[in-house]
Amino acid sequence: YGDWSSDVCSSDLNKVKGVRAALVWSIETARLAREHNDANVISLGGRMHDEEFCLDLVDTFLSTPFSNDERHIRRISLISKYENEGRL
C-alpha cells in the first residue's frame, strides 16, 4: 500500500473474506483487537511509532488470546455469515 495510511489499509483488508484487520496504535488496542474482535491482521502506522514499540504491539497482539465471550462470538458470526451469504 506504500504511502496509504494504516486506517485505509485495515479497512481495505477487512473486505477480504476471512480477514479481521485492526488498526493498532497502543498496547491496549493490540490486546483488545484479539480479545474482542479475534483479529488476525493488524495495521500499524509506520511513521507513528519507533521499531521497538511496533514490535511490542505485534508481541502483544500475537500473545493475546480471543476471549470467547458470547457477545463477541455473535458479532463475528454475523460478519462471517455476511461474507459467506451476502446477507445477515
Side-chain angles (χ1 to χ4, degrees):
Y1 279 97
D3 291 332
W4 288 23
S5 68
S6 53
D7 58 332
V8 170
C9 291
S10 62
S11 63
D12 284 352
L13 287 169
N14 280 320
K15 295 177 183 175
V16 177
K17 184 177 178 179
V19 172
R20 289 179 307 279
L23 174 60
V24 171
W25 64 88
S26 67
I27 296 297
E28 181 180 20
T29 58
R31 183 179 53 77
L32 291 173
R34 290 286 302 135
E35 286 181 349
H36 291 190
N37 299 321
D38 198 19
N40 52 19
V41 173
I42 58 173
S43 182
L44 303 169
R47 288 182 265 170
M48 303 305 296
H49 311 292
D50 62 33
E51 182 179 353
E52 183 178 348
F53 186 64
C54 286
L55 292 172
D56 289 342
L57 294 173
V58 171
D59 288 342
T60 299
F61 178 81
L62 292 175
S63 66
T64 302
F66 178 52
S67 71
N68 284 304
D69 186 330
E70 183 59 35
R71 67 190 174 119
H72 303 313
I73 291 171
R74 275 194 314 270
R75 184 180 65 253
I76 293 166
S77 293
L78 284 172
I79 294 167
S80 294
K81 182 177 180 177
Y82 185 78
E83 286 177 337
N84 291 320
E85 301 173 11
R87 60 185 172 83
L88 295 178

